[in-house]
Amino acid sequence: MKIHRMLKKSLAITGIAFCAALPAAAADTIKVGVLHSLSGTMAISETTLKDTVLMMVEEQNKKGGLLGKKLEAVVVDPASNWPLFAEKARQLLAKDKVDVVFGCWTSVSRKSVLPVFEELNGLLFYPVQYEGEESSKNVFYTGAAPNQQAIPAVDYLMNEIGVKRWVLAGTDYVYPRTTNKILEAYLKSKGVAQADILINYTPFGHSDWQSIVSEIKKFGSTGKKTAVVSTINGDANVPFYKELGNQGVSAEDIPVVAFSVGEEELSGIDTKPLVGHLAAWNYFQSVSAPVNDAFIKSWKAYIKNPKRVTNDPMEATYIGFNMWVKAVQAAKSTDPTAVQKAIIGVEAPNLSGGTSKMLPNHHITKPVLIGEIQEDGQFATVWETEGLVPGDAWSDFLPESKIIEADWTAKLNCGNYNTVTKKCSGQNF
Amino acid sequence: MESDDAMGVGSPIVRSRRRRVYALVLAIFFAAIPSWSVRAEDAGLEAALAGLASRDFREKGAAVAAIAESEDPSVSRILEALLDARLFVRAADARIVGAEGEGDDVAYFDAATGLAIDAADAAGLKKIIVNNRMRTDLRTTLARLRLASPDAEVREIAAKSMMADRSPRTLELLREAFSKERDAGVRETLRVALALSELESDDPELQLGAVGELAGSLHGEVRNALAALIERSQGDPAEQGEAVRAVRAAAEAAIASIDRKRSGLALVETLFFGLSLGFVLVLAAIGLAITFGVMGVINMAHGELMMLGAYTTWGVQQLMPDAIDASIFVAIPCAFLVSGAVGVVIERGVVQFLYGRPLETLLATFGISLILQQAVRTLFSPLNRAVETPGWMSGQWVVNDALSLTYNRLFIVAFSIAVFAALVGLLHATGLGLQIRAVAQNRDMARAMGVRGSRIDAVTFGLGSGVAGLAGVALSQLTNVGPNLGQAHIVDSFMVVVFGGVGNLWGTLVAGLGLGIANKFLEPFAGAVLAKIVVLVFIILFIQRRPRGLFPQKGRSAGVT
C-alpha cells in the first residue's frame, strides 16, 4: 500500500515538474483550455469540473498523450462574471491558441461565449444539463437536453407514480422558464388540464418558503396525486426542503423531483428530511458499474479527499473529454474543422456502463435515471430508461421549435434548419 | 453502509470463521429452543424475506405484502426496520439482517428467526433500499398492525394514516378498533376514519349518517371524500330516489361549512406567516436600529456580524455533536459574545476615528464586510455549512386539521420578542441605557455630566453587533449558512430601520411586522418576486412623503443624530 502511494506521489511530482518545464516545449503540446469559474457564486459547482478536466489531462498524459504529444491544460478564471466569460474565451482562443475548451456552467455564460467560439472557430464542450433550443457548430453539448432529463422525469411521475396534478416551481431565470414552458406544453399534450398545473417562480437565494409550501400543500390536498417538478437552483433548495419537512409534506405525499440537485449539492446539507424526494440525472455516483468504480477511485485519489463525491456534470465532462480524444485520433489532427467532422458518430463509454454517441446535432445519447435521495446523501436509482435517449436540440413540444432541426453533417450543415420553409435560418454557423 | 465485499465468500478465512459462527448460532439456537421450534415451522416468512434481496422494486413490494400476510409475530419489527432503512442483506449468505439502536451500540438480529447476531458476523451488509411506493405501503401495513398498540399516540397516527385507505378490510378493522378504543382523541380520529369508510357504501341511510358525522371535520380527506360523493351522485334527479338526493344536499351543506371555516383559518395562517417573516426582519434590523438608529453609524458590516453569529451556531454544534437539542442555548450567548467582540474591535479599530463622517464610515465598514466574508471563505471554505435543526424545533404544532404552525417559526417569534423586550428594558430601565441614550442625544453635554463617551460608544456598538449575532443564530435555522448570508439580509435590515424611523426601536418593530405581513398577503396574488418589488416601491414612495419614517424623533434630539 505504502509503496503504491509513494509511487503515485512521485508520479504526481514528475507530472508537476513536467508541467513546469512545459512553456519551453510549448510547440510540442496540445493545449486544453479550461473555462470554469474559480471564484464568485458559481465557484462551488464549477471548481469541481476544472479539477475533473485536469485529472483527465493527467490520465491522458500517463497513457502517452495524444498524437504523440503531451496535453497541457490552460486554466483561466471567469469569476462567475458573464461578460468576463467572453473575454476569457477570446484570450484562450486568440492568445493562448488552445485546441479545445471545456467550460461554462450557467446558460447565460454559454450564451456569452457563443459568438466568440463561432467567430474564432473554436471547440467548446459544455457539460451541464440545459434548456435546449440551441445547436452551434462549435459547441458540443454533453449534458442533458430537456428530453433527456425533464420529459422522462415527468413520464416517470405520470406513469409509475400516477401523478395527476403538477407544481412547476423554479428560480426566476432562463433555464427554469424555458424548461417549464416545454413541460407545460408536454403536460397539456398529455391531457392535463390548466387547473391541474401550478407554476411558481422565486428569486435566486429565496429563503422564506412558508406561503409557497403552504400553497403547494393546499394544491395537493384535493385527493389527486400531486408532485412538484423543481427547477429551483442553487442553495435556495435547502430552506425549501426544510420548510417541506417542517410543514409535514413528506416524499410519499407530494414527491419533489429536482433537476439541479445532485450529490455535490447534497453534501452540504442535512439530508434526513429529504429522504425519498427525487432527482433526474443521467448519472448517479451510486450507479454500480466497474467503469464508475474506477472513476470514483481515481477521482478520490486525485483530489486527495475520500469524502468527495462525483456528480452528473463530472460524468458529462468525462464523456466529452474522451469523445474529443477519439475524434482527434480519428482526424489525426486537432484542427477544429477536422475534429468537428470526425467527432460525429464517435462513441465513448459513459459511467453507467453503456456507450454514448455524438449525434449530428452535437448532442449525445445518454441513459436517464431517476433516483431517490437516501440518508447518506446519495441517490438510489428507482427507474431508468431502457437504452439510451438521443439528445434533442430543438424541443418537439413547442410549436415554434418543433419544425426546427439541427444536423451538422453534409446533409444539412445547419444548427437551425426550418423544415417548413426549407431554409437554414439564424444560427447557421 | 456500503456493500463490503472485502471478504470473498469462498476464502478459507471466511470459511473457518463461518464454521465458528455456525457453532455459535447453533449454541444460541439450543439455548432458545422453545421459541425457535415454533418459528421454524414458519417457512412462509423465510420465503417472503428472500424477495427483499431483489433489485426490482416490484418484487420487493410483493415481498413486503407476503411478509405482512405471514402473520408472524415479528412482522412489525421487520417492517419497521425496513421503513427506517435498518434492514440489510448479508453478502455472504443472502440472509436478511436487521439493526437496532444507534451509534456504537447497534444490535443486529436475524430477520427470519428474530435471534440476535454477533456484531462481528454482521460484516458485508448491504442496505435494502426502499422507494416511495414501498414506503407508503409499509406505512399502511404498519398502521393496521399498530392500531392495537398500547400507546395512544401510535394508535392516533395509525388511525390517521388509515383514512386514505378505504378498503372493506379497513372498515372491519376500524369498527373493531373503535369499539375497543377508550382514549377520547383516538376515538375521534377513528370516528372520522370510520365515517369516511362508510361514505363508500351504497346504502344511502348509512351515507347520510356518515355525512352527519363528518360535517364538522376539517381533515383534508373529508372534503375530498364529500366532493367525490357529490360527483358520484351526479345524474338525473328525477331518476334518483329521495334518499340519494338528501345525501347529496347534506354533503353540499357540509362542504360549504367546511370551506367557510377553512378560509377563516387560511387568513390566520397567512397572518402567522407574515408575523414570522416580520419578526425575522425585526431581529435582523434591531441591532442596526441601535448602531444606525441610536449612534448614527452606517454599519455595512452588520450583515457579516449576523453571518458570524450563524457560523458560531455551526461551530457550537461541531463541538457538541451529541447534544444538538441543547446546542442552540449554548450558541445564543456564544454568538452574542463573538459578534459583540468583533463589533467592539471594529468600533475601536476603525469607526471611532470616523464619527461625524458618514460617507467614510460607510466605505470603511463596507471594506470590513468584504474582509470578514473573505476571511470566512478562506477559513471554512466557500461551501455552505450544514447547521442541524434541533429535534424540538422541527415539525409543527397541529392546531387542528386545517391549521398548523411550524415550531421553528414559533421559536423565532418568541426569541425575537424576548430580544426586543430585553433591549427596550436595557435602554430604558438601566443606568447603562440612560448613558447610551444621553451620549446619543448630546455627546458633549453627556461628557460634561461625567459620562465616558468613548467607552459608551464602544459598548453601544458592541451591543448592536451582539444582537446581530443573535439574529444570526435564528437565521441559521431558516436559511443557508454561508459567506453570503449577510449580504442577503443587509438591504432588508436598512429598509426596516429607515421605514420605521431612525432612532426608534418601536418604529423598527412596527415597520418589520408591517412589511412582513404586507409581503405575505401580497405573495399569493403577485408571486414572490413581484411582492418584493411592490413593497420596495411602496417604501420609496413613503420615504418621499415622510423622509423620517413612520415614527420620526421629535424635539431637540431629532436634529442631533
Side-chain angles (χ1 to χ4, degrees):
Chain A
M1 230 18 185
K2 232 179 198 166
I3 297 170
H4 194 75
R5 209 176 294 155
M6 261 167 65
L7 201 80
K8 260 195 190 154
K9 224 181 223 170
S10 63
L11 259 174
I13 291 169
T14 345
I16 292 166
F18 192 82
C19 282
L22 272 179
D28 298 312
T29 61
I30 293 174
K31 286 188 175 179
V32 176
V34 184
L35 184 65
H36 283 301
S37 301
L38 310 179
S39 52
T41 48
M42 291 312 296
I44 299 177
S45 314
E46 290 195 61
T47 313
T48 315
L49 296 189
K50 179 225 33 170
D51 290 328
T52 311
V53 180
L54 293 186
M55 177 178 87
M56 301 294 299
V57 166
E58 191 186 289
E59 281 183 0
Q60 190 63 36
N61 280 337
K62 269 188 221 160
K63 284 188 226 158
L66 192 55
L67 304 180
K69 295 179 193 171
K70 288 281 174 193
L71 297 181
E72 178 197 354
V74 182
V75 180
V76 291
D77 177 15
S80 314
N81 175 344
W82 321 136
L84 196 59
F85 263 92
E87 255 175 67
K88 291 285 176 186
R90 189 170 289 280
Q91 180 195 328
L92 281 175
L93 292 175
K95 191 165 147 271
D96 297 322
K97 305 249 181 266
V98 297
D99 296 289
V100 63
V101 176
F102 293 87
C104 298
W105 181 292
T106 58
S107 287
V108 46
S109 69
R110 189 189 68 253
K111 295 273 187 209
S112 157
V113 301
L114 198 62
V116 180
F117 276 91
E118 289 179 346
E119 179 197 331
L120 301 173
N121 194 23
L123 293 177
L124 172 68
F125 283 82
Y126 176 67
V128 183
Q129 107 296 1
Y130 84 121
E131 69 278 6
E133 308 298 295
E134 186 182 300
S135 173
S136 165
K137 187 181 182 183
N138 301 84
V139 183
F140 297 92
Y141 309 83
T142 57
N147 76 319
Q148 290 173 305
Q149 191 187 23
I151 300 280
V154 165
D155 278 341
Y156 168 76
L157 290 173
M158 201 183 284
N159 303 331
E160 304 281 316
I161 309 284
V163 172
K164 299 270 189 291
R165 268 165 95 81
W166 304 83
V167 181
L168 309 180
T171 304
D172 203 356
Y173 76 109
V174 55
Y175 165 67
R177 284 212 177 246
T178 316
T179 308
N180 284 346
K181 206 164 95 186
I182 294 171
L183 286 181
E184 197 185 351
Y186 180 69
L187 287 173
K188 282 187 183 155
S189 79
K190 292 276 173 184
V192 177
Q194 181 71 54
D196 285 336
I197 302 175
L198 175 74
I199 299 182
N200 187 300
Y201 292 106
T202 41
F204 269 104
H206 190 68
S207 66
D208 193 281
W209 290 93
Q210 300 178 86
S211 343
I212 291 163
V213 168
S214 160
E215 199 184 343
I216 290 173
K217 219 164 117 182
K218 277 193 199 104
F219 188 77
S221 69
T222 55
K224 287 185 190 168
K225 183 78 185 171
T226 306
V228 180
V229 177
S230 152
T231 37
I232 297 164
N233 208 300
D235 49 16
N237 276 301
V238 180
F240 174 58
Y241 283 116
K242 256 192 194 170
E243 190 66 37
L244 281 175
N246 279 334
Q247 293 203 18
V249 180
S250 75
E252 289 121 69
D253 306 329
I254 302 179
V256 178
V257 57
F259 301 149
S260 309
V261 177
E263 288 88 346
E264 186 91 16
E265 286 75 16
L266 290 181
S267 70
I269 57 179
D270 178 17
T271 45
K272 262 176 259 147
L274 275 60
V275 171
H277 286 302
L278 305 151
W281 288 106
N282 308 108
Y283 164 81
F284 291 119
Q285 185 180 346
S286 62
V287 166
S288 70
V291 57
N292 184 33
D293 297 341
F295 180 78
I296 294 169
K297 207 174 146 197
S298 59
W299 167 247
K300 285 181 176 170
Y302 177 82
I303 208 79
K304 295 192 189 66
N305 181 353
K307 281 189 184 157
R308 281 296 287 269
V309 292
T310 58
N311 64 12
D312 181 271
M314 283 174 73
E315 191 225 13
T317 304
Y318 169 89
I319 299 172
F321 190 90
N322 285 333
M323 283 184 167
W324 172 73
V325 166
K326 283 196 176 169
V328 169
Q329 282 163 345
K332 296 194 177 57
S333 153
T334 57
D335 175 58
T337 313
V339 173
Q340 278 158 18
K341 200 168 273 171
I343 200 167
I344 290 172
V346 156
E347 291 188 341
N350 56 41
L351 292 178
S352 42
T355 308
S356 288
K357 185 173 164 188
M358 180 61 74
L359 302 169
N361 63 3
H362 285 188
H363 289 63
I364 67 172
T365 59
K366 315 186 95 177
V368 184
L369 313 177
I370 309 282
E372 278 183 13
I373 298 173
Q374 301 292 302
E375 249 175 270
D376 55 1
Q378 289 288 330
F379 291 91
T381 310
V382 290
W383 183 83
E384 59 187 295
T385 47
E386 285 168 33
L388 304 181
V389 180
D392 186 15
W394 300 93
S395 174
D396 291 342
F397 301 102
L398 293 179
E400 63 270 28
S401 71
K402 196 175 164 181
I403 48 169
I404 308 287
E405 243 178 61
D407 190 331
W408 289 105
T409 58
K411 199 176 106 199
L412 289 178
N413 205 21
C414 175
N416 187 351
Y417 180 79
N418 191 321
T419 50
V420 176
T421 58
K422 309 269 179 218
K423 265 187 195 146
C424 185
S425 53
Q427 222 173 353
N428 46 4
F429 289 102
Chain B
M1 203 164 294
E2 282 176 33
S3 68
D4 183 356
D5 257 343
M7 286 179 277
V9 180
S11 79
I13 304 169
V14 172
R15 231 180 280 146
S16 79
R17 180 183 278 186
R18 218 194 287 159
R19 214 169 290 148
R20 237 185 302 144
V21 175
Y22 284 160
L24 191 84
V25 170
L26 224 64
I28 296 172
F29 272 16
F30 281 117
I33 264 191
S35 70
W36 173 65
S37 58
V38 176
R39 286 190 183 169
E41 294 159 23
D42 192 39
L45 180 65
E46 186 90 61
L49 278 170
L52 284 180
S54 161
R55 272 181 65 93
D56 184 13
F57 285 107
R58 280 173 216 275
E59 272 175 43
K60 280 197 229 179
V64 170
I67 292 170
E69 265 164 35
S70 77
E71 299 196 346
D72 190 274
S74 61
V75 165
S76 67
R77 187 188 188 191
I78 296 170
L79 295 185
E80 268 166 37
L82 184 60
L83 188 61
D84 299 346
R86 291 185 282 108
L87 209 58
F88 306 89
V89 182
R90 186 156 63 188
D93 52 5
R95 276 196 84 76
I96 308 294
V97 175
E100 275 165 350
E102 264 180 42
D104 290 335
D105 30 72
V106 177
Y108 295 95
F109 66 91
D110 187 308
T113 60
L115 295 169
I117 294 180
D118 204 45
D121 303 316
L125 296 182
K126 192 168 163 45
K127 191 179 278 180
I128 298 173
I129 293 165
V130 292
N131 66 1
N132 283 328
R133 178 170 292 201
M134 282 178 72
R135 255 181 234 120
T136 316
D137 286 351
L138 280 170
R139 271 189 228 283
T140 3
T141 315
L142 279 171
R144 285 211 188 98
L145 297 167
R146 281 172 181 160
L147 218 45
S149 158
D151 186 354
E153 232 170 282
V154 175
R155 288 200 303 271
E156 167 94 33
I157 295 167
K160 276 220 166 114
S161 55
M162 283 180 79
M163 282 189 189
D165 174 31
R166 294 195 278 274
S167 58
R169 191 176 161 200
T170 319
L171 186 64
E172 257 167 61
L173 270 168
L174 285 171
R175 277 215 179 104
E176 196 190 318
F178 186 66
S179 65
K180 283 193 215 144
E181 188 58 60
R182 293 282 165 269
D183 184 278
V186 185
R187 250 186 105 80
E188 171 62 24
T189 313
L190 280 172
R191 193 180 60 82
V192 173
L194 202 55
L196 275 173
S197 292
E198 283 169 354
L199 270 191
E200 306 286 305
S201 77
D202 294 326
D203 179 5
E205 206 132 311
L206 201 59
Q207 282 180 327
L208 198 60
V211 172
E213 293 269 320
L214 292 172
S217 172
L218 288 168
H219 197 277
E221 291 288 343
V222 171
R223 197 195 178 282
N224 294 339
L226 289 172
L229 180 71
I230 293 173
E231 201 152 297
R232 271 203 308 272
S233 65
Q234 285 308 349
D236 189 6
E239 282 175 28
Q240 289 170 341
E242 186 70 36
V244 176
R245 262 179 285 165
V247 169
R248 196 165 77 202
E252 272 162 3
I255 282 189
S257 118
I258 288 173
D259 284 351
R260 249 197 325 277
K261 273 189 204 158
R262 273 207 185 166
S263 63
L265 288 168
L267 198 70
V268 175
E269 192 184 37
T270 314
L271 202 65
F272 173 72
F273 288 163
L275 274 180
S276 77
L277 175 65
F279 271 112
V280 172
L281 288 173
V282 169
L283 201 54
I286 197 159
L288 201 69
I290 292 173
T291 52
F292 178 49
V294 178
M295 295 178 73
V297 174
I298 299 178
N299 181 15
M300 294 297 282
H302 183 77
E304 277 58 43
L305 293 166
M306 288 194 247
M307 172 193 76
L308 287 183
Y311 269 89
T312 310
T313 316
W314 171 76
V316 168
Q317 287 198 345
Q318 296 310 105
L319 291 178
M320 41 195 298
D322 298 327
I324 296 294
D325 280 2
S327 70
I328 208 100
F329 296 106
V330 181
I332 289 170
C334 285
F336 183 82
L337 291 177
V338 169
S339 296
V342 173
V344 170
V345 170
I346 293 174
E347 203 274 344
R348 285 291 91 186
V350 182
V351 175
Q352 69 156 325
F353 305 110
L354 300 170
Y355 281 128
R357 288 187 280 173
L359 260 183
E360 273 117 298
T361 320
L362 189 146
L363 288 177
T365 49
F366 183 60
I368 292 169
S369 82
L370 293 180
I371 292 171
L372 285 175
Q373 267 180 45
Q374 200 55 41
V376 165
R377 267 199 201 104
T378 333
L379 226 60
F380 300 112
S381 100
L383 291 171
N384 290 337
R385 301 285 104 184
V387 174
E388 275 185 64
T389 310
W392 53 271
M393 252 168 90
S394 22
Q396 52 185 352
W397 173 42
V398 182
V399 182
N400 59 34
D401 285 325
L403 179 69
S404 32
L405 311 173
T406 50
Y407 284 130
N408 63 347
R409 299 281 171 175
L410 284 171
F411 167 77
I412 280 160
V413 168
F415 183 61
S416 253
I417 292 173
V419 170
F420 184 82
L423 269 181
V424 171
L426 182 80
L427 284 181
H428 292 275
T430 66
L432 180 70
L434 188 66
Q435 294 187 355
I436 290 175
R437 282 183 295 139
V439 172
Q441 281 185 12
N442 193 327
R443 173 181 300 269
D444 294 335
M445 189 66 84
R447 287 182 64 177
M449 295 292 192
V451 177
R452 287 169 62 192
S454 63
R455 198 179 130 256
I456 291 297
D457 284 337
V459 169
T460 314
F461 201 89
L463 180 68
S465 308
V467 173
L470 295 181
V473 178
L475 286 176
S476 76
Q477 294 303 324
L478 295 181
T479 174
N480 290 294
V481 178
N484 298 328
L485 178 129
Q487 277 181 336
H489 290 90
I490 185 79
V491 176
D492 285 348
S493 306
F494 269 106
M495 205 167 74
V496 169
V497 174
V498 172
F499 181 53
V502 174
N504 190 330
L505 287 187
W506 289 100
T508 306
L509 181 74
V510 173
L513 295 186
L515 290 182
I517 292 171
N519 215 321
K520 283 295 157 189
F521 272 96
L522 280 171
E523 215 171 269
F525 309 104
V529 185
L530 209 61
K532 256 198 154 146
I533 297 174
V534 169
V535 168
L536 258 175
V537 168
F538 166 74
I539 288 183
I540 293 171
L541 292 177
F542 182 84
I543 295 295
Q544 292 300 313
R545 277 201 70 77
R546 299 189 59 171
R548 292 182 157 270
L550 277 176
F551 300 99
Q553 282 192 321
K554 293 194 183 88
R556 255 192 290 175
S557 60
V560 179
T561 40

